[in-house]
Amino acid sequence: MMRQFELVERVKTYDSSADESAINRAYVFAMKMHGSQLRASGDPYFSHPIEVAGILTGYRLDAASIITALLHDTIEDTPATLEDIEKLFGKEIGRLVDGVTKLTRIELQSDHSKQAENFRKLVLAMSEDIRVLLVKLADRVHNMRTLHYISKPEKRRRIALETMEIYAPLAERIGMQEMKSELEDLAFAELHPDARSSIIARLNFLRDQGGDLIGRILEELRSILDEAGVKATVSGREKTPYSIWRKMQRNNVGFEQLSDIMAFRVVVDSIEDCYRALGVIHSRYPMVPNRFKDYISTPKPNGYRSLHTGVYGPERHRIEVQIRTQEMHEIAELGVAAHWQYKQGGKVTEGRQYRWLRELLDILEHAAGPEEFLEHTKLEMFQDQVFCFTPKGDLIGLPRGSCPVDFAYAVHSEVGDTCVGAKINGRIMPLRTQLGNGDQVEIITSKAQTPSPTWERFVVTGKARARIRRFIRTQQRSQYLDLGRAILQKAFKQEGYDYTEKGLEGVLKIFKANSLDDLLAAVGEGVHTGREVVQAVYPGIKTVARAGTDNVVPLKRASKKPDGKHAVPIKGLIPGMAMHFAGCCHPLPGDRIVGIVTTGKGVTIHTIDCDTLEQFADAPERWLDLAWESDVDGNDVHLGRMHLVVANEPGSLGNLSTVIAKNLGNITNLKITNRNPDFFEMIIDVEVRDVKHLTHIIAALRATPAINSVERARN
């Protein structure tokens, strides 16, 4: 176990300005908090955070990362609290330790391998500071190194599988190739021990047969580069057992069929030398077809840059050669951690290899000293997504801004259709609540529930929106079918005939309907009238217009203008019939309108979108299709109603009335419906000419500072 002074000395070798006192305090605090706790190996638990800190010093990370490594398990496994950490070590360390703790807790909630990719995204999305992720990866490396001490085989296998599917790809995604290779090999040893042993045995056999084959190839590569005047450092290695096994699985070949199990790396001084070295090697050895890749001109998404080529090299062995600069090599091995090492003149080097990292990291601040370190880096991958858990631990990825209804439809269409409520982290919350990363969402369903049209206003996923719209269309068609059937039954009865669906089937072609339901829906929608259908079925009859028959129904077809003049210029009214405007929607010239016939009261005029009309859906014979005359006198006065929220301050009502008066409106009634220390809510009736006039008044009111909001009042 590394001692306190040894850890400080390691950090001081690459960061002379590191806060030695803070590292010492963190070492002592963690040792005190973990106390007598033991690991599965029997070692003191405190040895684990020290080893994690030691791993991070190998990547030359800043003092804050080292302190976080020492403290990363204190909140989860000891009596220490986040407040204690912040009080003793400051807000920055508290934030980092809290981030690692949250990742650990989420890690325990999901062990479903099919969720691995979403889990990786969740970890990235929740690691607002890249150092949180680096500490977590180092933590996993040490846990894998000591995995064999865990007695339960199923637990070892679960941890190894999680490492292979989640943490090794995470390390690769941020470019930490060295860490990724170690995690893969440690996990491979647990998951497939026999396969690994077999590959190692075969590698040892080849090594014995070939003698110092790698050494001879290295010497020849150095020699030909030297002769061409290319200054280079050449190193060679066998591919790892896991990478060999994966290639055997992917290509479905045996070990004997693999001929490029050796990889050689050529490190040169500049990009120009990379291409010169490539030319020297290609001119000397035959190239393997389709094995050349140029990651210098086109880097990998994680910033990796190098030239790769396969050749039949010395002694006719097929080998892989990677050519790169020293800087590229550091980036390839250390990934994002290499950012802590490449600094020039106080600035991060702005080479092309940093393009991905510049997009990924928001560099907020630099530490002072001979070697600059990134103090704060914010991870911005997957900021447009949120990842939430089901109660069973399954992970659901959704667009940012999603609500429980989106989550319900993502789980299953039926769950979405029957959703009545949601619990977010154990608390019942509104369905329009926006979800956050790591939320656990439980959907409450009811068989009696159907999708609400209002959901479409706040859902963001295409699946949810499509299902809601589909239901609305289906429901609308069902209503049109019922309405059309009622209209036709009434029309047939008034002409003295029995309504039969068999008779209607003979006239489907006349109305270009594919089925009886299509015809009924068209009549219900107002495309065709009941009288037209009756006349098509019985062509010889002569129908007489009656009040309450076909003047009644077609919602999209206006009747002829009546002979007599009515006091109100409305088309479609039967001469002499009493009428009045509905107090629920206050229709104005310019609105689409419909009339409802009431015995003893005449016709009540409603706007076409008035909610009250739903009460008359089952009585189509009471509906009149109406419209305003085109020659409405612009000086006629009509009543418009507005709902306002007005600031509770001196002069507000005066400003309100002045704005209305300046726009030629006249207040006839004002009612305050709610008041509090900050605002008044009120209903105002205003005399206006038409909808356009009312719209101008509303626009003028919205531009008035004292008016918080104003809408046309309905129902």
Side-chain angles (χ1 to χ4, degrees), residues 29-223:
F29 180 81
M31 180 179 284
K32 180 181 176 183
M33 286 295 104
H34 287 292
S36 59
Q37 293 175 352
L38 298 176
R39 286 175 61 79
S41 62
D43 294 332
Y45 191 92
F46 177 61
S47 64
H48 169 64
I50 292 178
E51 291 300 325
V52 174
I55 290 170
L56 294 179
T57 60
Y59 291 97
R60 302 163 63 90
L61 294 194
D62 62 339
S65 302
I66 306 303
I67 294 169
T68 301
L70 292 171
L71 303 175
H72 77 272
D73 277 336
T74 52
I75 296 177
E76 188 72 16
D77 297 328
T78 78
T81 65
L82 178 59
E83 290 72 22
D84 296 334
I85 303 293
E86 289 181 345
K87 184 178 178 181
L88 290 169
F89 301 99
K91 293 259 183 207
E92 180 189 14
I93 302 297
R95 177 171 55 81
L96 293 172
V97 173
D98 186 46
V100 179
T101 303
K102 285 177 179 175
L103 291 188
T104 302
R105 288 174 181 166
I106 287 174
E107 171 187 274
L108 302 175
Q109 292 186 37
S110 178
D111 58 357
H112 294 62
S113 60
K114 65 180 180 180
Q115 301 292 334
E117 179 58 26
N118 274 347
F119 190 92
R120 288 197 292 272
K121 292 178 182 178
L122 171 66
V123 172
L124 284 166
M126 293 199 67
S127 303
E128 291 187 355
D129 191 310
I130 194 70
R131 292 172 295 181
V132 169
L133 185 56
L134 294 173
V135 173
K136 188 63 192 169
L137 286 171
D139 171 62
R140 179 51 62 118
V141 167
H142 185 250
N143 283 334
M144 287 302 297
R145 288 175 181 174
T146 57
L147 184 66
H148 57 282
Y149 289 113
I150 296 176
S151 58
K152 293 182 180 178
E154 63 275 10
K155 185 176 181 181
R156 290 200 307 271
R157 181 172 179 80
R158 179 184 66 78
I159 293 172
L161 196 62
E162 188 178 72
T163 300
M164 187 69 83
E165 293 181 339
I166 294 169
Y167 289 99
L170 264 176
E172 182 179 33
R173 188 165 292 182
I174 61 172
M176 303 187 73
Q177 191 67 30
E178 184 181 283
M179 185 177 281
K180 171 235 179 190
S181 296
E182 182 176 0
L183 287 171
E184 282 180 342
D185 202 48
L186 291 168
F188 182 49
E190 177 61 38
L191 295 172
H192 303 282
D194 293 341
R196 184 174 184 272
S197 299
S198 174
I199 290 172
I200 290 174
R202 294 186 183 198
L203 287 173
N204 289 335
F205 175 77
L206 288 178
R207 210 176 290 123
D208 292 340
Q209 289 289 100
D212 187 19
L213 178 61
I214 290 180
R216 295 199 303 272
I217 294 174
L218 281 174
E219 191 60 38
E220 186 167 327
L221 287 175
R222 290 191 188 109
S223 175

Side-chain angles (χ1 to χ4, degrees), residues 501-576:
E501 294 188 347
K502 186 176 181 181
L504 295 176
E505 290 175 356
V507 298
L508 293 180
K509 289 184 179 179
I510 297 174
F511 296 100
K512 297 180 181 178
N514 295 322
S515 66
L516 180 60
D517 281 356
D518 288 345
L519 177 58
L520 293 175
V523 173
E525 197 175 348
V527 176
H528 308 297
T529 67
R531 184 184 302 154
E532 287 173 343
V533 177
V534 174
Q535 286 179 325
V537 176
Y538 300 102
I541 67 168
K542 292 183 178 180
T543 57
V544 179
R546 298 180 179 87
T549 61
D550 271 338
N551 262 355
V552 171
V553 180
L555 301 184
K556 290 192 175 179
R557 182 171 296 188
S559 302
K560 291 182 180 179
K561 182 175 178 179
D563 295 329
K565 287 287 184 180
H566 196 280
V568 179
I570 291 177
K571 296 189 292 185
L573 278 176
I574 298 167

Side-chain angles (χ1 to χ4, degrees), residues 362-398:
D362 177 19
I363 302 167
L364 301 176
E365 174 179 333
H366 300 276
E371 291 216 40
E372 292 284 323
F373 293 92
L374 295 180
E375 290 288 343
H376 303 287
T377 53
K378 187 175 181 181
L379 192 58
E380 292 182 343
M381 290 180 76
F382 308 110
Q383 290 300 301
D384 58 340
Q385 289 179 276
V386 292
F387 302 91
C388 304
F389 289 102
T390 67
K392 292 183 179 180
D394 290 335
L395 204 58
I396 305 290
L398 295 165

Side-chain angles (χ1 to χ4, degrees), residues 466-480:
R467 288 286 301 191
I468 294 165
R469 287 176 178 172
R470 179 182 174 188
F471 175 80
I472 292 170
R473 285 197 304 271
T474 304
Q475 188 182 49
Q476 221 169 35
R477 181 173 171 82
S478 175
Q479 291 173 348
Y480 282 141

